[in-house]
Amino acid sequence: VQLQASGGGLVQPGGSLRLSCAASGLRLDYYAIGWFRQAPGKEREGISSIGSSGDWTYYADSVKGRFTISRDNANKVGYLELNSLNSGDTAVYYCATCRARVAGRCLPDVWGQGTQVTVSS
C-alpha cells in the first residue's frame, strides 16, 4: 500500500505546476487526501486537504488563494495545482490519506513518496 506524488520540477517565480497523487494497494477514492510539504531545515507542513467526495477542502494560510486542491475519483487521482509560486514554496511535496480531520486539517495515515518542487530563476 503506497501513494505516489508526481509532477514536481523546477519552475520560475510566478510559475505554476500541477501535482498528482496516485495510489497502489488501496482505493484512493475512499479516503480524504492531504497534501504536505517539507522545506530544508523545516518541519513538515500540512497545506491542503480534500474530502473523499470533494465535499470539503482546507488550505493553510500560506497557500490560500494560490493553490487549488481537487480530485478525480473516477480515475482515483488527487491533484494540487500550484500557482504564483515563490521561493518559499520550494520543498518536497507529499500526499497522504487522512485518518481523521481536525479543524479542517488532515491527520495523515498512509504516506507517499514525495516530489521535489524548486522555485528559482
Side-chain angles (χ1 to χ4, degrees), residues 64-112:
K64 196 174 296 181
R66 300 187 299 121
F67 292 7
T68 302
I69 193 170
S70 62
R71 63 190 304 155
D72 177 355
N73 279 350
N75 292 299
K76 303 177 182 60
V77 182
Y79 299 104
L80 186 68
E81 184 170 344
L82 288 56
N83 297 308
S84 301
L85 287 162
N86 59 62
S87 59
D89 296 313
T90 295
V92 179
Y93 285 70
Y94 302 86
C95 59
T97 59
C98 304
R99 57 182 172 85
R101 176 169 64 135
V102 177
R105 300 182 183 211
C106 169
L107 297 184
D109 186 9
V110 177
W111 287 96

Side-chain angles (χ1 to χ4, degrees), residues 13-34:
S16 299
L17 286 171
R18 189 175 77 160
L19 307 183
S20 298
C21 177
S24 60
L26 62 84
R27 286 281 302 266
L28 191 60
D29 52 323
Y30 286 176
Y31 298 92
I33 299 170

Side-chain angles (χ1 to χ4, degrees), residues 9 16 31 34 38 42-44 50 58 65-66 92 109-110 117:
S16 299
Y31 298 92
Q38 188 165 22
K42 294 188 178 181
E43 293 187 356
R44 191 171 294 186
I50 186 168
Y58 162 82
R66 300 187 299 121
V92 179
D109 186 9
V110 177
V117 172

Side-chain angles (χ1 to χ4, degrees), residues 5 33 37 45 57 59 69 94 100 107 113:
I33 299 170
R37 68 184 181 185
E45 173 190 16
T57 57
Y59 296 95
I69 193 170
Y94 302 86
L107 297 184
Q113 292 185 326

